[in-house]
Amino acid sequence: MLDKEHRTAVFLNAVRFRTGLQTAARDGATEEFVRPLVRTDIFFWDDLGQMHVTGAASEMLLHLVKERVCAGRPILATTQYAGKGMDAQFERAEMGQAIRRRPNEFCRVVMVRGVRDQRGVVVSARDHVITQAL
């Protein structure tokens, strides 16, 4: 295991992922875009499902999730969606199901209700899910 000084982390959301993927696709460099996301020690996705994910982006996200799960690398994600609500955020519901299924099969799910921000104010009464590959 790497010591704390040498760990790498990537923090993304749908906008940054889609923008980066579009730029990489235009430049013919999608593999170069995804490789560091697969290899980083910690991958954190903020607000998974917050923005509608296109077919190409969801396929790449599924690839990323599969690769990280196979390598036993952590995936940390927050979301306000579960079940069919999550699936509806993807262009094809079956892609949302596949992306949702992987963490549910191979990760520990922690439900947090009534999350408070740094001021102590409850920011949402909805459930937030944090997953981490085991």
Side-chain angles (χ1 to χ4, degrees):
M1 176 167 237
L2 296 174
D3 61 45
K4 290 180 183 177
E5 292 179 28
H6 295 97
R7 287 193 177 145
T8 59
V10 172
F11 299 88
L12 281 182
N13 59 29
V15 173
R16 290 180 65 196
F17 182 74
R18 186 173 61 196
T19 302
L21 187 57
Q22 287 171 340
T23 300
R26 184 188 64 232
D27 298 340
T30 54
E31 195 57 41
E32 289 79 11
F33 172 73
V34 173
R35 188 176 300 119
L37 304 179
V38 170
R39 291 183 178 170
T40 189
D41 295 310
I42 300 168
F43 177 75
F44 178 78
W45 186 289
D46 186 33
D47 264 343
L48 180 61
Q50 186 62 28
M51 174 182 247
H52 186 74
V53 183
T54 64
S58 61
E59 287 176 17
M60 195 54 72
L61 178 57
L62 179 59
H63 169 72
L64 170 61
V65 168
K66 284 180 175 179
E67 290 295 313
R68 290 193 64 81
V69 166
C70 288
R73 295 195 178 272
I75 300 170
L76 302 171
T78 62
T79 186
Q80 296 180 29
Y81 298 95
K84 291 182 181 180
M86 173 64 82
D87 302 344
Q89 301 308 307
F90 292 85
E91 198 169 88
R92 293 179 17 234
E94 61 272 7
M95 188 62 70
Q97 292 167 359
I99 290 168
R100 181 170 47 92
R101 185 175 59 246
R102 294 298 187 289
N104 284 331
E105 289 175 351
F106 300 103
C107 298
R108 181 175 352 128
V109 177
V110 179
M111 302 296 288
V112 181
R113 299 184 191 277
V115 176
R116 295 182 185 276
D117 68 8
Q118 63 273 19
R119 299 166 295 167
V121 176
V122 175
V123 292
S124 176
R126 300 172 110 184
D127 292 346
H128 292 260
V129 178
I130 302 170
T131 61
Q132 178 176 353
L134 298 175

